[in-house]
Amino acid sequence: MTEERSGKKKTQVSFTIRDEKETRHHSGVSSIVYDPGLDRVHSAGRDGIIRTWSVAKGQIRFCHTMEHHTDWVNGIILTSHGKNIMSGSNDCTVKLWNAQKGFVMSTLRTHKDYVRALAYSKEKETVASAGFDRSIYLWDVQTLTALTATKNTVTTAALTGSKNSIYSLAMSPDGNTLVSGSTEKVLRVWDTRRYTKTMKLKGHMDNVKALCLNFDGSQCLSGSSDGTIKLWVLGQQQCILTIRCHTQGVWALAAPESFHFVISGGKDCRIMYTDLRISSCISTLLALESHPILSLCLSPDLTMVWVGTTDSTIKAWGLPSGDEDGSEEYSHEPPLIEIEGVPAIKQFAILSNKRHILTKDTKGNVQLYDALMAIKVEDLGQVDFEEEIRTRTSQVFIPSWFTVGLHTAMVTIHLAQDENIDCLGSWVSAKDQNLVCDDSDADQKGDS
């Protein structure tokens, strides 16, 4: 990150203290996709990492991570029959990955703000991306996969005209119809062949956070922070059904292309199943999560739904069979599958030696980190956090040379030079800190 001050460009350098292999999520899981060809689940979240799991025959096996984003990953899309993944992040980039081997193929820096939503046309192999810069960009996946070190020019089509930050997208399978939802509280419908807006649908009273289109793009489901789900007929520009089965905002939707049912979740932690085949549209409670729901993904056989929440654990819940009577007292079993995450770090204290950092996670566990060596020194268990700070505090003054960030739920060290923090303002002997071998009489000094 750079900034201009007094005519000089200043650079902030950051690094994250983490394990060599990060096999589990540290924070909320914002997007989940299922690869039916390989029986794999890909999940992305607020720790900035995409993870791949094999779930064949109900057995969980970690495969690999995809690590190149520097901030929250808000959405992922599986393309090219499972060969590639596209991702959008708060670092303002869209990335194309090799899904099977886990390496990044292209980084697209067209967006000027957070990328919050992606949508995909499987017939045209086109991906749409949108976010807080109010712009929608269309990407041809085949063109992106053909990029090389010398042939690296990318052209994209832009859909402009949104007045507010965009939080949700949905695209018809043929790629001709695109719907966007935003804090403008309306659905905007776009013709991607002419790059024009075709209609604006009003009805929601708050941010439109989730969208789904049916098999031919004629109907759309929308979920909003106003707590409602609406079913729209685009040809009539009309809402034909409003579902009120949540007590708070609806943040995620999942529905088969036939639209005979919809799974919804959101801030109230409730996973709801609504049968759309009957006029009464009875909603049944599938499960009550312990944290707000961020993402939903149906299995190809429609027997389970994968759920990501603001917690780091992923769960798969069973769905009722087609002959369920729609009773609101539907009794679910425990999760069919559970991929456990790691507690998120929520609190920290830089100790007086300006080297060690105490942290506390969501389960009350306290850890000690070393900023100079960039390692976790010790797991202290569920001890008194404030007492540990007092015990480890000494009467010494050392200038501050770093700050700590927890936005990915891991310890990130920021080095900078400004009026408050000077990363070159203090030094220690590298030999005293065991950073070099004692093979010379000369004292070697390392800047912190």
Side-chain angles (χ1 to χ4, degrees):
M1 184 176 74
T2 62
E3 56 183 330
E4 299 286 343
R5 285 186 183 168
S6 303
K8 295 182 179 180
K9 182 180 288 188
K10 301 248 177 170
T11 302
Q12 175 177 284
V13 178
S14 302
F15 60 89
T16 300
I17 303 175
R18 35 151 292 173
D19 293 336
E20 182 178 355
K21 289 187 177 181
E22 288 291 348
T23 61
R24 296 190 290 172
H25 282 289
H26 286 257
S27 189
V29 180
S30 52
S31 187
I32 302 172
V33 294
Y34 191 96
D35 179 0
L38 295 175
D39 275 332
R40 286 183 172 184
V41 167
H42 304 279
S43 57
R46 294 178 172 180
D47 57 8
I49 300 174
I50 303 168
R51 291 172 174 83
T52 299
W53 321 82
S54 171
V55 295
K57 299 180 180 179
Q59 301 297 313
I60 304 299
R61 180 178 61 85
F62 173 78
C63 297
H64 56 252
T65 60
M66 295 176 230
E67 303 178 46
H68 209 267
H69 284 295
T70 59
D71 209 329
W72 292 8
V73 182
N74 297 310
I76 54 175
I77 293 288
L78 197 63
T79 71
S80 311
H81 305 288
K83 294 180 181 178
N84 303 115
I85 283 177
M86 288 191 71
S87 58
S89 167
N90 278 8
D91 63 13
C92 308
T93 67
V94 175
K95 293 182 184 290
L96 176 71
W97 308 79
N98 182 303
Q100 298 177 8
K101 296 183 179 179
F103 63 85
V104 66
M105 301 170 64
S106 301
T107 298
L108 310 171
R109 306 182 188 278
T110 309
H111 285 282
K112 306 303 181 186
D113 209 331
Y114 294 173
V115 183
R116 289 302 305 257
L118 300 174
Y120 173 58
S121 162
K122 60 185 178 183
E123 295 179 16
K124 284 190 175 179
E125 286 291 336
T126 299
V127 171
S129 61
F132 285 5
D133 61 3
R134 308 176 186 177
S135 295
I136 303 172
Y137 294 103
L138 301 177
W139 308 97
D140 182 84
V141 176
Q142 293 182 349
T143 300
L144 296 177
T145 56
L147 294 178
T148 64
T150 55
K151 184 183 177 182
N152 56 11
T153 302
V154 179
T155 57
T156 178
L159 303 177
T160 59
S162 293
K163 297 180 180 179
N164 294 68
S165 298
I166 298 171
Y167 277 81
S168 55
L169 288 176
M171 188 183 290
S172 59
D174 63 12
N176 296 332
T177 302
L178 180 72
V179 183
S180 63
S182 71
T183 53
E184 195 181 353
K185 309 174 189 177
V186 301
L187 280 66
R188 290 187 180 271
V189 183
W190 309 80
D191 184 336
T192 59
R193 295 164 295 184
R194 298 177 177 84
Y195 310 115
T196 58
K197 292 179 289 184
T198 58
M199 66 188 78
K200 183 168 66 174
L201 303 176
K202 299 180 180 180
H204 283 297
M205 304 302 293
D206 208 334
N207 189 5
V208 180
K209 297 289 289 289
L211 293 168
C212 294
L213 279 172
N214 69 339
F215 69 96
D216 63 357
S218 63
Q219 293 185 335
C220 180
L221 281 163
S222 59
S224 168
S225 294
D226 64 13
T228 66
I229 303 164
K230 291 183 180 290
L231 176 61
W232 307 81
V233 177
L234 300 187
Q236 300 175 11
Q237 301 188 31
Q238 184 179 6
C239 172
I240 61 171
L241 178 67
T242 297
I243 303 166
R244 295 179 173 87
C245 60
H246 290 275
T247 59
Q248 292 177 281
V250 179
W251 293 353
L253 295 175
E257 289 186 349
S258 62
F259 270 22
H260 63 275
F261 70 85
V262 60
I263 308 296
S264 56
K267 193 174 182 180
D268 63 2
C269 308
R270 293 153 58 97
I271 305 170
M272 303 298 296
Y273 174 100
T274 303
D275 191 334
L276 300 176
R277 295 171 297 182
I278 53 178
S279 58
S280 57
C281 290
I282 295 175
S283 299
T284 63
L285 177 66
L286 287 182
L288 183 64
E289 286 276 7
S290 56
H291 297 80
I293 295 158
L294 296 177
S295 55
L296 299 168
C297 175
L298 290 172
S299 63
D301 60 4
L302 304 182
T303 60
M304 68 176 72
V305 59
W306 293 88
V307 180
T309 71
T310 55
D311 185 37
S312 55
T313 296
I314 301 169
K315 297 177 184 178
W317 298 91
L319 297 181
S321 60
D323 57 0
E324 292 287 341
D325 62 4
S327 169
E328 293 198 20
E329 299 301 322
Y330 172 70
S331 177
H332 63 79
E333 298 294 327
L336 301 177
I337 302 175
E338 190 166 343
I339 304 175
E340 188 176 357
V342 177
I345 297 174
K346 294 297 184 183
Q347 189 176 357
F348 75 91
I350 301 173
L351 300 183
S352 57
N353 62 9
K354 298 300 190 292
R355 172 175 176 175
H356 291 109
I357 305 160
L358 275 176
T359 65
K360 185 177 182 180
D361 64 30
T362 52
K363 291 189 176 180
N365 300 306
V366 178
Q367 302 91 17
L368 180 66
Y369 288 83
D370 186 330
L372 187 62
M373 300 293 289
I375 60 172
K376 181 167 70 173
V377 177
E378 187 178 2
D379 284 306
L380 301 175
Q382 296 184 349
V383 299
D384 189 306
F385 185 69
E386 300 299 331
E387 182 60 31
E388 282 295 321
I389 296 174
R390 287 192 290 270
T391 301
R392 297 172 183 271
T393 298
S394 58
Q395 296 299 319
V396 60
F397 174 75
I398 298 175
S400 296
W401 57 277
F402 67 90
T403 59
V404 175
L406 300 178
H407 68 289
T408 61
M410 295 182 282
V411 175
T412 300
I413 306 297
H414 302 296
L415 307 179
Q417 283 185 281
D418 56 34
E419 62 272 14
N420 298 315
I421 304 295
D422 184 1
C423 65
L424 302 178
S426 58
W427 61 268
V428 296
S429 167
K431 185 187 298 183
D432 290 345
Q433 303 302 323
N434 298 318
L435 298 178
V436 296
C437 297
D438 189 10
D439 57 1
S440 169
D441 291 333
D443 185 25
Q444 303 180 48
K445 294 180 180 179
D447 287 332
S448 295

